[in-house]
Amino acid sequence: MSKRILLIVAIVIFGSFKSFSNGIVEKDSSKPKTISFKIKLKSADKIKIAVSPLKYNKHFAYSFTLDDGYRSAYLTAFPLLNGGKISNSNINEWKIDQGGDGTTSKGLFYSDGMGNKIPFKLALAINGGSIRALPENRGHLSWAEVNEIYNAGWDILNHGFHHATKHGTNYLTEVTENVSSIKQNLDFTMSHFVVPGGEGDEKYYLEYEKDALNNEHFSVASYYGVGPVFKVDSKVDLDKMISARTFVQSSKDTTSFKTMDRFLKTVDSIVKQPNSIWFNEFTHGTGNSNLWNLSMRFPDFKYYMTTLADKYGEKGNDSIWMAPWQEVYEYIWLRDRIKVDFQQKNKEVIVTIQLPEIPQNFRNRAVSLNIKTKSKFEIESTKDLKIKNDGQTNHKLILLQL
């Protein structure tokens, strides 16, 4: 008997589309359309095709956000996860050390199921009014730094233009002005909002939630809401989602890893659930100092992320999909709206996928399909469709780049 094959088909829908020989793709990526492709089996064994709950058929999606756009994200967190030189001690304008240990990181990774490593990615929740290039010892990121992080696959979330919370705040202006600022400086439109924390009128966060959701934001992370743990085996209600998040921070009185171990123990208990899971955490700074006592010291952050990578990443059981909130949200949104059909005739299988109308400002457009068969297979190539194919192994990611 041939080995059972699990095929992961990732359909990534970029920009505009062209017709291709074994399928039909309409020109406007936002409009409903149908695509199709052919699987050739080595034998005529029956196959089953189902949409994967999470990308790459991972067991759990883990989203982590750094709030407020502090420069430690670029000096420490980004090079640790993506690979690169971590900053030495870096005392900022507030006399706080936003640097790290000065080492060079090889990066932290999970795999795509084909042996290709993908770096851990986080999200930044930023305030456009705080982003600037000077002084050299500034506490916040520059536009160039945000752009580099964004281009590496991290997502940028709306956190209000000024991080305003006090009485008299114009919440609507905070939401919309930050969208305009990022559009002007980085040329993309944010679509997810994180309520800024601080002193304010009682339940001020409700005003932020309302104004964000009424102004083209798909979801809001707030003080209270659904989650932060979601079972995603079945359809998830994403409509105007307001989600809670778990706040991860270092202890005020110790630099040991006991506090981090408590947080990691919670992660372990969540991951042990049989369901496919998505959960969401955040902190603020990741430098050597515990910024405003609302952050993770770099040694804690490094220990926390390295432990997750060693246990659940490509060096461990490779069950994690470490992706920003927006990326996971967009995957589940599309997953729950596509319709998949397939027709098998002997050794040939025609897979047809009906795609919904996709919002124009979606950054990530991918869905994975599990295909179970006893037979080895290959995907018939087409002139106008780029396909990455490895049908000879247990798990396969087919990338349809259109």
Side-chain angles (χ1 to χ4, degrees):
M1 297 289 289
S2 299
K3 200 171 185 179
R4 179 172 295 271
I5 305 294
L6 174 62
L7 167 65
I8 303 174
V9 183
I11 302 114
V12 179
I13 306 104
F14 297 104
S16 62
F17 294 92
K18 299 178 180 179
S19 297
F20 58 92
S21 57
N22 282 324
I24 301 172
V25 179
E26 298 175 10
K27 291 183 179 180
D28 188 345
S29 66
S30 70
K31 300 301 183 182
K33 60 185 63 66
T34 299
I35 62 174
S36 62
F37 58 92
K38 183 185 293 184
I39 299 174
K40 289 187 173 181
L41 302 170
K42 296 299 182 182
S43 65
D45 290 301
K46 296 295 183 181
I47 69 171
K48 295 181 179 180
I49 302 177
V51 179
S52 177
L54 292 171
K55 194 175 182 181
Y56 310 120
N57 199 41
K58 297 297 186 179
H59 174 59
F60 72 105
Y62 177 61
S63 300
F64 198 99
T65 303
L66 303 179
D67 284 7
D68 299 349
Y70 294 119
R71 195 163 183 238
S72 58
Y74 184 79
L75 296 176
T76 64
F78 181 58
L80 172 67
L81 273 57
N82 202 57
K85 180 67 165 62
I86 297 167
S87 172
N88 289 306
S89 174
N90 187 290
I91 307 302
N92 68 14
E93 58 190 312
W94 309 312
K95 311 302 181 184
I96 293 172
D97 188 353
Q98 289 204 108
D101 58 13
T103 61
T104 298
S105 172
K106 294 182 179 180
L108 302 179
F109 302 92
Y110 63 92
S111 87
D112 64 2
M114 295 189 296
N116 299 309
K117 298 193 297 185
I118 301 174
F120 280 21
K121 293 176 292 185
L122 309 186
L124 300 178
I126 66 172
N127 318 104
S130 299
I131 306 301
R132 63 194 195 279
L134 295 172
E136 279 191 27
N137 65 338
R138 58 198 151 74
H140 286 96
L141 294 161
S142 68
W143 289 115
E145 290 165 345
V146 175
N147 189 55
E148 181 180 345
I149 291 173
Y150 177 77
N151 287 335
W154 292 36
D155 284 329
I156 307 301
L157 312 179
N158 192 345
H159 203 36
F161 186 68
H162 294 106
H163 200 283
T165 61
K166 293 183 178 180
H167 179 74
T169 294
N170 186 323
Y171 303 103
L172 177 58
T173 298
E174 281 290 305
V175 171
T176 58
E177 190 172 355
N178 207 35
V179 171
S180 299
S181 175
I182 272 60
K183 178 65 176 176
Q184 178 181 349
N185 288 280
L186 300 176
D187 197 29
F188 66 85
T189 301
M190 296 181 294
S191 57
H192 297 264
F193 190 85
V194 177
V195 173
E199 297 179 1
D201 295 335
E202 184 179 3
K203 297 185 177 180
Y204 76 90
Y205 55 87
L206 296 177
E207 296 300 316
Y208 264 128
E209 293 169 5
K210 178 189 68 176
D211 287 336
L213 293 174
N214 288 338
N215 285 274
E216 300 183 348
H217 288 72
F218 296 115
S219 73
V220 174
S222 190
Y223 284 93
Y224 308 99
V226 294
V229 180
F230 300 88
K231 294 180 180 180
V232 294
D233 284 330
S234 57
K235 186 174 182 179
V236 180
D237 184 5
L238 298 177
D239 185 42
K240 296 185 179 297
M241 173 184 277
I242 300 173
S243 175
R245 301 180 296 166
T246 298
F247 180 23
V248 182
Q249 63 181 133
S250 296
S251 299
K252 296 180 180 180
D253 56 355
T254 179
T255 58
S256 74
F257 298 130
K258 291 181 179 179
T259 299
M260 295 300 104
D261 284 334
R262 287 196 292 271
F263 284 110
L264 289 166
K265 187 176 180 180
T266 300
V267 173
D268 290 340
S269 67
I270 293 170
V271 173
K272 287 178 181 178
Q273 298 183 42
N275 308 86
S276 296
I277 296 295
W278 173 32
F279 57 102
N280 193 17
E281 297 186 325
F282 79 103
T283 195
H284 296 89
T286 57
N288 287 326
S289 298
N290 185 348
L291 182 66
W292 317 134
N293 289 321
L294 294 170
S295 302
M296 297 173 73
R297 298 184 186 93
F298 179 69
D300 283 343
F301 181 78
K302 183 176 182 178
Y303 174 78
Y304 194 73
M305 291 295 164
T306 301
T307 301
L308 289 173
D310 289 345
K311 183 173 290 187
Y312 303 116
E314 54 100 17
K315 291 183 178 179
N317 63 19
D318 205 22
S319 61
I320 192 172
W321 176 27
M322 184 72 175
W325 172 267
Q326 178 179 342
E327 182 176 351
V328 179
Y329 178 100
E330 290 172 350
Y331 176 89
I332 293 175
W333 186 96
L334 184 56
R335 177 206 75 178
D336 287 345
R337 287 163 176 78
I338 67 169
K339 295 181 180 180
V340 179
D341 189 23
F342 63 96
Q343 300 293 328
Q344 180 175 1
K345 184 177 181 180
N346 298 321
K347 298 180 183 180
E348 291 189 349
V349 182
I350 301 296
V351 181
T352 303
I353 301 175
Q354 296 180 32
L355 299 172
E357 182 173 345
I358 302 172
Q360 291 281 6
N361 55 353
F362 263 36
R363 183 186 188 193
N364 310 278
R365 305 179 181 202
V367 170
S368 296
L369 302 179
N370 294 337
I371 298 182
K372 296 182 179 180
T373 178
K374 297 177 182 178
S375 173
K376 294 182 179 181
F377 63 88
E378 61 184 15
I379 304 300
E380 184 175 282
S381 62
T382 62
K383 184 176 64 173
D384 297 322
L385 180 64
K386 184 178 179 181
I387 302 179
K388 295 176 65 176
N389 174 31
D390 183 11
Q392 306 304 309
T393 59
N394 286 340
H395 299 276
K396 178 62 191 112
L397 172 66
I398 291 182
L399 188 65
L400 305 181
Q401 188 166 334
L402 309 172

